Amino acid sequence: MNDRLIMENVLLLLKSNMEVYVHGTLEASNKKIRDALHFGLEETQKLQYNLYQKMVECEWYQVSNVSIKSINDTLKKVKKKN
């Protein structure tokens, strides 16, 4: 297993963990539990962002701008379905 694959897997795990923290934070009825989950969410977001930045730096995560035409084409498709 190479570094890129490991980092991609860790990024996916962090994103999955964030989903759990978000839902837990929204559903928690106890303030202390909500605060603990919210803290976990914030820390996981920091880890995810730092890992993402490192992957972009290593050119393992490609970022590109979306054209206005592509956005408009997608909007047309969505409007047709409704």
Side-chain angles (χ1 to χ4, degrees):
M1 191 177 272
N2 62 32
D3 290 345
R4 179 181 180 163
L5 188 57
I6 291 169
M7 290 176 83
E8 286 173 352
N9 286 327
V10 171
L11 187 63
L12 288 173
L13 285 170
L14 288 170
K15 288 179 179 183
S16 295
N17 286 347
M18 285 173 51
E19 287 183 44
V20 172
Y21 280 122
V22 165
H23 292 291
T25 301
L26 291 172
E27 298 295 328
S29 58
N30 180 292
K31 182 171 173 17
K32 286 184 180 181
I33 293 172
R34 186 204 169 281
D35 290 347
L37 290 168
H38 185 73
F39 176 78
L41 173 63
E42 288 179 334
E43 292 301 306
T44 304
Q45 282 178 311
K46 290 176 193 173
L47 290 170
Q48 183 274 332
Y49 181 76
N50 290 336
L51 181 60
Y52 161 78
Q53 290 296 338
K54 189 63 171 175
M55 291 178 74
V56 169
E57 183 182 304
C58 293
E59 298 181 354
W60 293 341
Y61 201 107
Q62 300 300 315
V63 179
S64 60
N65 292 326
V66 179
S67 70
I68 296 295
K69 182 186 179 322
S70 178
I71 293 170
N72 288 332
D73 290 346
T74 302
L75 285 171
K76 286 177 187 175
K77 288 178 187 176
V78 170
K79 287 179 182 178
K80 282 182 183 179
K81 290 182 181 180
N82 293 330

